Amino acid sequence: MSFLTSGLDSELTARSLPVVQADERLQPLLSHLSHAYVGPDYNIQKTTGKISLEQIDALSVKSFPLCMRQLHKSLRDNHHLRHGGRMQYGLFLKGIGLTLEQALQFWRSEFIKGKVDADKFDKGYAYSIRHNYGKEGKRTDYTPFSCMKIILSNPPGQGDYHGCPFRHSDPELLKQKLQAYKIPPTGISQGDMF
């Protein structure tokens, strides 16, 4: 790392930058660099079946990212999520290890607590869950949404709970939510959050 830091600070690097920027071969790489995900590549096969339905509530409070915690709470409160929320949260649950059978059981039990009976769930919602697991449609085994996808695509509308709370929430409402989650005031300050 020190080599990279010293190289970036050097005069040679400063003189080379215009040459690098003018190179047509590097333009696509440089223009998309700020949108690239460089985090770990989580392989779905490594985690499938590693959590149980009984663990989800506890995990949502202590381990889920804020966007997924928000979706989980909304699902538990309203017993329903719109399509964007079901996609974002459903693929996340798949990614952390929920099997197809567990996912069907989880979503069915929650929706039945609301205004959806078992028959309506099986006809209207089960297909999309099986589709996410690659068992229906074009048989693509979908992966969870990256943070960049959550932030940049399908912004939430009225009555939606998906998206990134740091990007799509009113700053004051976000601050109240973080306070309710017992985040210390130093972690909620404007400078740290935005």
Side-chain angles (χ1 to χ4, degrees):
M1 190 69 155
S2 61
F3 173 76
L4 179 61
T5 305
S6 65
L8 290 174
D9 292 335
S10 74
E11 185 178 327
L12 178 62
T13 303
R15 286 193 311 242
S16 300
L17 191 57
V19 175
V20 170
Q21 288 176 328
D23 191 333
E24 292 176 9
R25 299 169 297 169
L26 296 176
Q27 281 302 317
L29 175 67
L30 293 174
S31 64
H32 295 298
L33 194 57
S34 65
H35 300 290
Y37 176 71
V38 294
D41 183 17
Y42 296 102
N43 184 343
I44 297 302
Q45 303 299 9
K46 290 180 186 175
T47 60
T48 301
K50 300 292 186 200
I51 65 164
S52 68
L53 291 174
E54 296 77 30
Q55 295 173 300
I56 293 176
D57 286 325
L59 288 172
S60 73
V61 174
K62 69 177 186 175
S63 301
F64 283 13
L66 187 59
C67 58
M68 299 307 164
R69 184 175 182 176
Q70 175 176 288
L71 284 165
H72 182 77
K73 181 174 177 359
S74 173
L75 177 63
R76 290 296 198 204
D77 290 348
N78 303 315
H79 311 295
H80 192 271
L81 287 175
R82 290 185 178 178
H83 180 73
R86 290 192 309 271
M87 288 294 295
Q88 183 176 325
Y89 190 48
L91 289 173
F92 172 78
L93 291 173
K94 176 187 174 193
I96 63 170
L98 213 58
T99 65
L100 172 59
E101 293 74 25
Q102 290 172 321
L104 286 166
Q105 182 182 350
F106 172 76
W107 289 101
R108 180 181 287 115
S109 67
E110 199 58 46
F111 275 43
I112 289 173
K113 292 176 187 173
K115 298 178 181 176
V116 177
D117 62 33
D119 189 47
K120 184 176 179 182
F121 177 85
D122 290 338
K123 289 179 181 175
Y125 297 98
Y127 176 89
S128 65
I129 295 166
R130 289 191 306 272
H131 188 270
N132 286 346
Y133 280 79
K135 304 300 182 194
E136 298 284 355
K138 51 185 192 169
R139 310 263 186 226
T140 301
D141 192 17
Y142 294 96
T143 59
F145 293 163
S146 68
C147 286
M148 290 306 294
K149 181 172 177 118
I150 291 170
I151 291 168
L152 297 175
S153 65
N154 191 20
Q158 186 71 24
D160 287 330
Y161 297 94
H162 66 276
C164 175
F166 294 100
R167 172 71 170 103
H168 299 115
S169 294
D170 174 71
E172 191 56 39
L173 291 174
L174 177 60
K175 185 176 180 179
Q176 290 171 9
K177 186 175 293 185
L178 293 172
Q179 287 170 339
Y181 291 157
K182 310 245 187 290
I183 305 295
T186 55
I188 300 176
S189 70
Q190 287 285 356
D192 293 341
M193 216 167 35
F194 307 101

